[in-house]
Amino acid sequence: MGAHLLFLLLSLFSLALATVAGAGIGAGESTFQYLKLPLLHNRPFPSQILSSDSTRLISLHRRRAQLPVTSGSASGTGQYFVEFHLGTPPQRLLLVADTGSDLVWVTCSACRNCSERVPHSAFLARHSASFAPVHCYDEKCKLVPHPRRVACNHTRLHSPCRYEYFYSDGSVTSGFFATETTAFNASSGLPVRFKNVKFGCGFRASGPSITGPSFNGAQGVLGLGRGPISLATQLGRRFGNKFSYCLMDYTLAPTPRSYLVIGDSQGGGATNGSRMSFTPLIHNSVSPTFYYIGIESVNIEDTKLPISPSVWAIDELGNGGTVMDSGTTLTFLAQPAYTRIVNEFKRRVKLPQPAELTPGFDLCINVSGLPNPNPNLPKITFRFAGGSVFAPPTGNYFLDTAPDVKCLALQPVASPAAFSVIGNLMQQGFTFEFDRDQSLLGFSRHGCSQP
């Protein structure tokens, strides 16, 4: 849900358990070096990808744990769902995991006798002994946006902090800001519990992004952005302010397991840090939630494309730049760069076009009748700031959109004020580690889980 929208890409509707290592967190709790959770993926339809990504990009551009994760693909969505246990005793919910937003919020119900409700359809605050609304006069209440029409009564003991969280497409969720105890299932079968996690208890939701088909099966959103109330920030302080993930090739069968890790990925066995390449994470004060990186140049094979550095730059108003986003499936590039890249691919790719073009894609090829259904295609290379080189395999940017049809999985961003996005399809097969203390993004082909 980019700084207010939903989508963490591909995976399969299945449940997973967290692997926990290390020792000792706070009084009466254990501290862990890392939390490691499996991510599974299923392939969404291209039309669903384009629709979801387009809605998300509109939201991202206008908007100014590791936990068990399951995919919404089986319900027609292209998101990662996180299994989130909230309250005492724990109530199981599925949340959309989102690196492009900060607020953790769940659909809440105020009903007392909920025996006739669909199980897990909402969080029942009245049934939790650890639910604690934040008072509107509490400093924590300043961390979330408020409806201005609601005045805070400082003298009342029970005057909750009300929030209203808007999305650029007109969607909105509102409710009470609160704290709760969360629990994640460990591989040992024992729960790992964290107290006083701040979240939004949402009683109202409206708008296409959170009531439409893209939200099917979810009861809220898990924000993993750079802001102070994201789960990556709240738990990250206990895990070295790092998190990482590895997304495997979704076309393989059986689908190999991917991982999301909160904590030190080296300690989690994800990769050897000496084999990682690094690029700085750039802070944009206008959009502080997002994980920006710098692009210095783009090559197709051995040809460096004549793209001005200004195409990739963040201007003085905070516009432009490039965001690394696990919540967007395709890669979106500023129009001048997109045009150069697509034209160079068209110049080099000599294979026939399909009889019917896939709507929304500018370059598609017909591979029927070829001795190899995965022909050699031109390779793209990104040179990031700091000199690191990101060279994804061609399967990361040529998408199977129909039998015997492959399309270049890039999209243009027409607005000069918008930013580019490296989507999760382009990221497959790499471990990405977000070191928030050092403001570095590390990446490596080594250490991703194997099929």
Side-chain angles (χ1 to χ4, degrees), residues 138-180:
D138 193 306
E139 285 294 310
K140 292 190 289 291
C141 192
K142 298 178 180 179
L143 298 174
V144 289
H146 312 264
R148 293 179 180 175
R149 65 181 181 276
V150 178
C152 176
N153 188 332
H154 297 180
T155 62
R156 291 181 57 189
L157 178 62
H158 302 293
S159 185
C161 173
R162 298 174 183 268
Y163 74 88
E164 198 164 46
Y165 207 62
F166 284 94
Y167 298 86
S168 64
D169 65 349
S171 296
V172 59
T173 175
S174 60
F176 299 153
F177 199 44
T179 63
E180 254 296 6

Side-chain angles (χ1 to χ4, degrees), residues 336-354:
Y338 173 83
T339 299
R340 294 279 189 184
I341 290 170
V342 171
N343 286 344
E344 184 65 20
F345 271 112
K346 287 181 176 179
R347 187 179 72 83
R348 291 174 176 270
V349 175
K350 304 302 182 182
L351 296 173
Q353 293 186 355

Side-chain angles (χ1 to χ4, degrees), residues 58 69 90 125 167 197 232 256 271 273 351 391:
I58 290 172
V69 177
Y167 298 86
V197 172
T271 190
L351 296 173

Side-chain angles (χ1 to χ4, degrees), residues 15 322 395 397:
L15 302 179
T322 303
Y397 46 92

Side-chain angles (χ1 to χ4, degrees), residues 357-374:
L357 294 178
T358 303
F361 294 93
D362 289 331
L363 173 60
C364 295
I365 57 174
N366 184 351
V367 298
S368 64
L370 297 180
N372 182 1
N374 295 302

